[in-house]
């Protein structure tokens, strides 16, 4: 399997300004932030970075850390746009800004897969704050959005309303993604496309324990049951684990055998504005008709 790179390009409200020495400088609308980035092994292009805030990681290996602000940044967040989608960015305790900008080429690719279909329906598992859900709903796609965090689902609803999508056919569910997929498979449900963005570790709303290594294979098997000969895609992203794109690509190849179509895998990356180099962010695998 030949690996590919999906590169996120800068847009008006987001850009990777510079990176290096284990950090990255990004712009989110009118604000700039510095965050840790283990993949940035090289030297930065600029000698000094000016930012409104920086996330300083904890000294232990358990993660954590805190934001240090040099200029006032709205705690409640501020508006951003991607294409025709509006949403709120916010400095979260988990070092990110409430959405993942490297997913932009994935949103565009998913739109392309269902273009021209009559009333397609797609499933967004581990949907988080729902920018991907809004990106599809804005194109007339019926969506089912599932996340174990009530707070994330409420944020996703707010983002959809912010984009003028409150009246679109979006089903919002606070639920364990694995349990939901298994139940949908037993019911004989089917979808035209599935987006999977599972965490390395997580808890369901009722304390269900999720680990990627144990939970991903059965989840993909259940998702296979939700796809048929008329379905268009499944897209899987994996962050922050010691796992290979070749491995998850082979997982899809075996579990989705019989559907026809094409299996591809590779890395997600963001293109740096200062030099044009690519900063890798995640691995992915996908099936398409």
């Amino acid at each position: 399997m030949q690996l590919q790179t999906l590169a996120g390009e800068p847009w008006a409200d987001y850009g990777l300004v510079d990176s290096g020495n284990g950090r990255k400088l990004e712009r989110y609308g009118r604000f700039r932030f510095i965050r840790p980035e283990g993949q940035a092994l090289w030297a930065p292009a600029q000698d000094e970075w000016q930012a409104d805030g920086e996330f300083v990681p904890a000294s232990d290996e358990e993660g954590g850390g805190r934001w240090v602000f040099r200029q006032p940044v709205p705690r409640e967040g501020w508006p951003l746009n991607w294409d025709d989608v509006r949403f709120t960015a916010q400095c979260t305790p988990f070092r990110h800004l409430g959405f993942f900008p490297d997913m932009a080429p994935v949103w565009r690719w998913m739109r392309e897969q269902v273009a021209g279909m009559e009333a397609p329906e797609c499933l967004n598992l581990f949907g988080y704050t729902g920018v991907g859900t809004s990106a599809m709903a804005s194109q007339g796609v019926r969506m089912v959005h599932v996340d174990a965090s009530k707070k994330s689902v409420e944020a996703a609803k707010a983002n959809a309303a912010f984009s003028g999508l409150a009246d679109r056919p979006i089903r919002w569910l606070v639920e364990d993604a694995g349990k939901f997929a298994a139940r949908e498979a037993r019911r004989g449900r089917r979808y035209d496309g599935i987006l999977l963005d599972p965490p390395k570790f997580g808890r369901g709303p009722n304390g269900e324990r999720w680990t990627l290594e144990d939970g991903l294979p059965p989840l993909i098997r259940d998702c296979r049951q939700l796809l048929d000969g008329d379905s268009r895609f499944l897209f899987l992203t994996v962050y922050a684990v010691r796992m290979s794109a070749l491995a998850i690509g082979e997982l899809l190849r075996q579990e989705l055998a019989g559907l026809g179509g094409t299996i591809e895998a590779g890395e997600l990356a963001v293109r740096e504005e200062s030099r044009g180099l690519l900063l890798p962010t995640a691995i992915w695998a996908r099936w398409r008709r």
Side-chain angles (χ1 to χ4, degrees), residues 127-259:
Y128 190 42
T129 57
V131 182
T133 295
S134 291
M136 298 297 281
S138 72
Q139 303 299 296
V141 180
R142 292 176 292 142
M143 293 297 300
V144 177
H145 178 104
V146 182
D147 198 281
S149 166
K150 182 178 180 180
K151 183 177 180 180
S152 292
V153 172
E154 291 301 317
K157 287 182 182 179
N159 281 333
F162 196 22
S163 288
L165 303 172
D167 61 344
R168 298 297 175 93
I170 305 174
R171 185 181 175 197
W172 305 103
L173 295 168
V174 179
E175 192 160 348
D176 178 82
K179 285 187 174 181
F180 176 79
R183 189 169 67 250
E184 290 286 89
R186 290 195 298 270
R187 290 172 173 171
R189 288 271 285 145
R190 52 88 55 196
Y191 291 91
D192 294 297
I194 301 175
L195 173 62
L196 291 161
D197 189 17
K200 178 180 179 180
F201 175 82
R203 293 282 185 182
N206 297 312
E208 301 93 339
R209 185 175 184 272
W210 163 270
T211 61
L212 188 71
E213 291 82 357
D214 294 334
L216 186 58
L219 177 61
I220 295 299
R221 284 194 287 272
D222 287 329
C223 286
R224 165 63 181 88
Q225 301 306 310
L226 304 179
L227 301 169
D228 62 18
D230 294 321
S231 299
R232 297 297 180 91
F233 73 86
L234 181 147
F235 201 104
L236 166 67
T237 57
V238 172
Y239 288 80
V241 295
R242 297 179 64 181
M243 193 176 288
S244 165
L246 291 172
I248 62 174
E250 179 61 20
L251 173 64
L252 292 196
R253 190 190 69 80
Q254 292 189 15
E255 296 296 344
L256 274 58
L259 276 177

Side-chain angles (χ1 to χ4, degrees), residues 35-79:
R35 296 190 291 157
E37 179 50 72
Q39 299 276 21
L41 303 176
W42 44 80
Q46 304 171 14
D47 293 332
E48 294 185 8
W49 290 351
Q50 299 297 320
D52 298 282
E54 179 173 0
F55 189 88
V56 180
S59 58
D60 57 50
E61 297 181 356
E62 297 301 318
R66 62 190 178 91
W67 285 97
V68 176
F69 297 104
R70 300 182 177 93
Q71 300 292 336
V73 175
R75 289 182 176 271
E76 70 279 6
W78 61 97

Side-chain angles (χ1 to χ4, degrees), residues 10-14 80-87 104 107-108 111 131 134-136 138-139 163:
W11 74 85
D13 275 353
Y14 173 79
L80 295 182
N81 287 60
W82 176 81
D83 198 56
D84 59 347
V85 175
R86 302 190 74 194
F87 53 95
W107 304 330
R108 199 171 301 281
R111 285 176 165 186
V131 182
S134 291
M136 298 297 281
S138 72
Q139 303 299 296
S163 288

